[in-house]
């Protein structure tokens, strides 16, 4: 059977490299032993020694939306570099004078005295301040204490958001679903079936229509922004962060493509919600079921920190929506989660399937 590749030989693409997007050209393709599509690309304006193999999830089409994303990533990187330079300059100033008890923050500006329970904010950004170390940030409050040799450091927005999300705890039933998911894969070598309904995009769409979703904006913009944002995160990270080893061994990505193509033939009138807001070739949020969405919620802080891009979204509202999404999934866990969604990967695991399903079903409920 011919392999399905999203990008053609010679096609111009945008490629992720160290948190930025670069214009590139596809010059070769291959399928790895784990079933992942990879492309050998040449970066425009760079020598051939920088050519490299990249996974399919690290490439994007060249279009207006993705070019805008490329520009925003570059602007974010420049802002971080500017912050780093200012931080190094302030560190040098702080260490040069031993007797000063208060340091100048910027030229012609004197640092105000900050009480133990106050937060210093410059340009709407929380600032940490403590001698020779960065203070952890909790929500929009930074633990700020006065002291000698005070150093100021802007916390990048993705890290702020990740700190907020780490404080959220999975509800009890979702934690049970998470435990069973890991046991099914790691202990019994089972894999998930491709669902006929309730795939990730559909679940997010149902959430925005439910009473759990809050949208105070007059134009109701979050009703679109929230599901599209999570769908983008999901499509980009599902095969790099959200799949187990046995799923990769099962060639999940390739089988998913084949299944999706066949579903398009068998069910041509199926409604793919919010498809106009995404790259049409990003099929994964229309292919995988709710348990993958649960995995995304668990790994979202790590995904935010390891990528320079972050949602163009009010932080407090985004955290609120993630929290409410967890409640929505718990409220509907009978609909979205079942041990019978798992199938054996090979003949040996079939022998233990029925016994474990009875045990897991009792535990699930």
């Amino acid at each position: 059977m011919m392999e399905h590749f999203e990008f053609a030989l010679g096609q111009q693409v945008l490629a992720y490299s160290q948190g930025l997007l670069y214009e590139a050209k596809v010059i070769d393709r291959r399928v790895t032993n784990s079933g992942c599509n990879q492309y050998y690309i040449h970066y425009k304006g760079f020598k051939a020694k920088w050519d490299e193999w990249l996974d399919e999830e690290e490439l994007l089409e060249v279009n207006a939306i993705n070019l805008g994303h490329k520009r925003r990533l570059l602007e974010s990187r420049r802002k971080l570099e500017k912050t780093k330079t200012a931080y190094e300059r302030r560190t040098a100033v702080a260490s040069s004078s031993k007797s000063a008890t208060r340091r100048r923050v910027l030229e012609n500006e004197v640092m105000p005295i900050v009480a133990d329970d106050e937060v210093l904010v410059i340009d709407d950004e929380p600032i940490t301040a403590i001698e020779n170390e960065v203070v952890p940030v909790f929500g929009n409050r930074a633990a700020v204490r006065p002291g000698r040799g005070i150093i100021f450091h802007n916390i990048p927005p993705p890290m702020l958001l990740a700190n907020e999300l780490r404080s959220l705890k999975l509800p009890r039933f979702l934690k049970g679903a998470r435990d069973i998911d890991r046991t099914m894969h790691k202990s019994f070598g089972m894999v998930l079936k491709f669902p006929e309904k309730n795939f990730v995009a559909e679940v997010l769409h149902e959430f925005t229509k439910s009473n759990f979703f809050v949208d105070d904006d007059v134009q109701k913009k979050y009703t679109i922004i929230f599901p599209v944002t999570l769908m983008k995160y999901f499509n980009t990270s599902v095969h790099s962060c959200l799949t187990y080893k046995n799923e990769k061994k099962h060639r999940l990505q390739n089988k998913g493509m084949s299944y999706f193509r066949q579903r398009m033939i068998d069910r041509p009138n199926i409604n793919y919600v919010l498809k106009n807001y995404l790259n049409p070739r990003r099929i994964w949020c229309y292919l995988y079921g709710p348990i993958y969405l649960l995995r995304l919620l668990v790994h979202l802080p790590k995904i935010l920190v390891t990528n320079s891009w972050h949602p163009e979204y009010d932080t407090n509202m985004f955290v609120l929506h993630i929290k409410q999404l967890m409640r929505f999934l718990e409220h509907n866990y009978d609909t979205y989660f079942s041990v019978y969604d798992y199938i054996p990967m090979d003949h040996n695991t079939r022998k233990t399937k029925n016994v474990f399903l009875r045990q897991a079903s009792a535990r699930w409920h």
Side-chain angles (χ1 to χ4, degrees):
M1 183 179 64
M2 295 183 61
E3 301 293 346
H4 175 73
F5 291 93
E6 287 197 21
F7 304 100
L9 291 174
Q11 182 175 345
Q12 301 295 324
V13 295
L14 295 175
Y16 279 103
S17 179
Q18 298 183 354
L20 295 177
L21 279 171
Y22 295 89
E23 295 181 26
K25 179 180 179 181
V26 175
I27 56 180
D28 198 2
R29 306 182 299 190
R30 71 182 180 187
V31 178
T32 65
N33 293 333
S34 61
C36 295
N37 289 351
Q38 289 189 336
Y39 299 82
Y40 196 65
I41 59 102
H42 171 71
Y43 293 101
K44 183 178 178 180
F46 291 83
K47 295 182 179 180
K49 70 176 183 178
W50 299 108
D51 295 354
E52 61 178 335
W53 287 100
L54 292 179
D55 292 340
E56 199 162 65
E57 286 71 32
E58 297 178 277
L59 302 182
L60 296 175
E61 280 189 342
V62 179
N63 55 39
I65 295 176
N66 292 334
L67 287 174
H69 183 47
K70 174 179 179 292
R71 183 178 64 254
R72 289 190 293 272
L73 287 177
L74 183 59
E75 292 172 354
S76 177
R77 174 62 61 83
R78 288 172 176 170
K79 182 178 179 181
L80 289 175
E81 290 296 329
K82 184 178 180 181
T83 300
K84 180 180 178 181
T85 301
Y87 171 74
E88 292 173 347
R89 184 174 66 250
R90 291 163 186 160
T91 302
V93 171
S95 61
S96 63
S97 177
K98 298 181 180 180
S99 60
T101 58
R102 289 183 296 179
R103 303 296 177 189
R104 300 186 57 169
V105 179
L106 298 174
E107 188 176 357
N108 300 326
E109 291 184 10
V110 179
M111 183 200 73
I113 298 177
V114 184
D116 287 352
D117 58 348
E118 292 181 344
V119 178
L120 183 63
V121 177
I122 297 178
D123 295 333
D124 297 325
E125 291 289 344
I127 308 295
T128 62
I130 189 170
E131 186 173 1
N132 298 329
E133 61 182 357
V134 177
V135 180
V137 175
F138 303 94
N140 291 325
R141 296 184 58 79
V144 180
R145 298 192 298 273
R148 297 182 57 188
I150 292 178
I151 301 169
F152 293 93
H153 179 55
N154 287 323
I155 304 298
M159 189 175 295
L160 283 172
L161 183 54
N163 286 340
E164 290 276 2
L165 294 177
R166 285 194 188 98
S167 67
L168 300 181
K169 302 298 182 183
L170 281 180
R172 180 169 63 92
F173 289 109
L174 294 188
K175 187 177 294 184
R178 166 82 171 151
D179 292 341
I180 290 176
D181 180 50
R182 287 186 291 193
T183 302
M184 285 289 200
H185 286 277
K186 295 184 178 181
S187 300
F188 292 89
M190 294 186 182
V191 293
L192 283 157
K193 297 183 293 186
F194 297 113
E196 290 297 320
K197 60 178 182 178
N198 293 332
F199 30 79
V200 169
E202 200 171 67
V203 173
L204 291 173
H205 181 61
E206 289 300 319
F207 166 60
T208 59
K209 296 194 302 181
S210 72
N211 294 329
F212 289 89
F213 188 75
V214 179
D215 195 342
D216 294 331
D217 190 83
V218 177
Q219 298 178 348
K220 301 296 181 183
K221 66 177 182 180
Y222 290 122
T223 302
I224 297 297
I225 293 178
F226 179 74
V228 170
T229 297
L230 277 196
M231 288 158 68
K232 288 181 178 179
Y233 278 126
F234 183 83
N235 284 334
T236 304
S237 60
V238 60
H239 296 120
S240 58
C241 301
L242 308 180
T243 51
Y244 294 110
K245 290 182 179 178
N246 61 315
E247 289 178 315
K248 295 177 180 178
K249 182 179 178 181
H250 188 59
R251 297 173 63 87
L252 179 70
Q253 186 174 354
N254 283 357
K255 291 186 177 182
M257 290 178 179
S258 299
Y259 176 83
F260 188 81
R261 289 198 298 268
Q262 189 61 44
R263 187 170 69 185
M264 292 288 288
I265 297 173
D266 297 339
R267 301 172 61 191
N269 297 323
I270 190 171
N271 179 30
Y272 293 107
V273 295
L274 302 170
K275 64 181 180 181
N276 294 332
Y277 295 92
L278 285 176
N279 184 330
R281 293 184 176 181
R282 294 289 175 181
I283 64 173
W284 313 117
C285 58
Y286 303 109
L287 181 64
Y288 298 129
I291 197 69
Y292 287 93
L293 178 58
L294 180 58
R295 295 182 196 176
L296 175 68
L297 296 179
V298 171
H299 289 90
L300 193 53
K302 177 182 177 181
I303 294 171
L304 284 166
V305 171
T306 55
N307 291 276
S308 62
W309 43 271
H310 57 91
E312 298 175 358
Y313 210 110
D314 177 75
T315 298
N316 293 329
M317 187 63 76
F318 187 77
V319 173
L320 173 63
H321 286 159
I322 293 293
K323 184 177 181 179
Q324 293 301 97
L325 175 59
M326 291 180 180
R327 292 185 57 198
F328 171 78
L329 292 175
E330 183 185 40
H331 183 76
N332 296 281
Y333 83 94
D334 281 329
T335 301
Y336 294 141
F337 306 106
S338 172
V339 291
Y340 295 98
D341 291 336
Y342 297 85
I343 57 175
M345 187 173 65
D346 53 45
H347 177 72
N348 292 331
T349 57
R350 282 190 174 90
K351 297 179 181 179
T352 58
K353 177 184 177 183
N354 292 334
V355 174
F356 181 75
L357 285 182
R358 287 196 295 269
Q359 297 173 351
S361 181
R363 182 181 177 185
W364 201 291
H365 295 282

